[in-house]
Amino acid sequence: AFYEQKGILPLYAVLVFGLLCYYALEPTDLPSRISIMAALFLTVFAIQWIAIERLPRLPFSTILDTVAQCAIGGLMMMLVGACASYKFAAPSNGFCAPGDCPGFKMEQARRVDRLTLIVVLVYVVGYAFLYGLVYQCMSINRQC
């Protein structure tokens, strides 16, 4: 119960919050997207540090480690997606202020955003949930 309440659920909450913020912020507002992803990135390490402080040191990766790696990977993918979305859709002169960006190709940016969200969701469901939780729990139960 400690693992779930102090580690796994907060890490997934950080990841879901990152996905919602990524989707809610406009692609032209790159500084806000980067700021939120950086804050969430540090939050993952804070949650992990608090949870690890009360757990014994183990020579192998635990489910908490897998979920933390998934959260970090998902946030990094969103950060790369935000930068790619901005770069591919920015006007050729390179000048673009948040809220005032003439020539910004919004449809192209939204296409990159949707692709990024799909990749992150597949990664989270495939790696963290199916492999990290289901497969590892089943293999642990088989050994006992």
Side-chain angles (χ1 to χ4, degrees):
F2 178 80
Y3 256 135
E4 292 90 10
Q5 292 178 354
K6 301 292 184 195
I8 293 174
L9 292 178
L11 288 171
Y12 279 131
V14 167
L15 194 55
V16 168
F17 186 76
L19 285 166
L20 292 174
C21 287
Y22 182 86
Y23 188 72
L25 290 172
E26 291 293 326
T28 57
D29 198 6
L30 184 63
S32 294
R33 283 181 161 194
I34 290 174
S35 298
I36 288 175
M37 292 305 137
L40 293 176
F41 186 75
L42 294 174
T43 304
V44 168
F45 287 106
I47 291 169
Q48 194 176 16
W49 187 29
I50 289 170
I52 287 175
E53 201 173 72
R54 295 184 178 99
L55 297 172
R57 306 272 185 243
L58 299 171
F60 53 87
S61 292
T62 63
I63 294 171
L64 180 64
D65 296 326
T66 303
V67 174
Q69 290 169 358
C70 171
I72 291 168
L75 291 172
M76 291 303 291
M77 284 184 223
M78 284 186 267
L79 181 62
V80 169
C83 292
S85 172
Y86 183 83
K87 185 67 176 169
F88 290 143
S92 59
N93 65 3
F95 177 75
C96 194
D100 180 33
C101 191
F104 191 82
K105 302 174 195 93
M106 190 60 82
E107 187 55 39
Q108 190 171 356
R110 295 214 186 276
R111 199 172 309 130
V112 173
D113 280 350
R114 282 191 294 270
L115 179 64
T116 300
L117 289 174
I118 290 169
V119 168
V120 170
L121 288 174
V122 166
Y123 173 74
V124 169
V125 170
Y127 176 72
F129 186 72
L130 294 178
Y131 171 73
L133 292 178
V134 176
Y135 177 74
Q136 285 183 348
C137 286
M138 289 175 48
S139 65
I140 289 170
N141 289 335
R142 258 186 261 142
Q143 292 174 358
C144 296

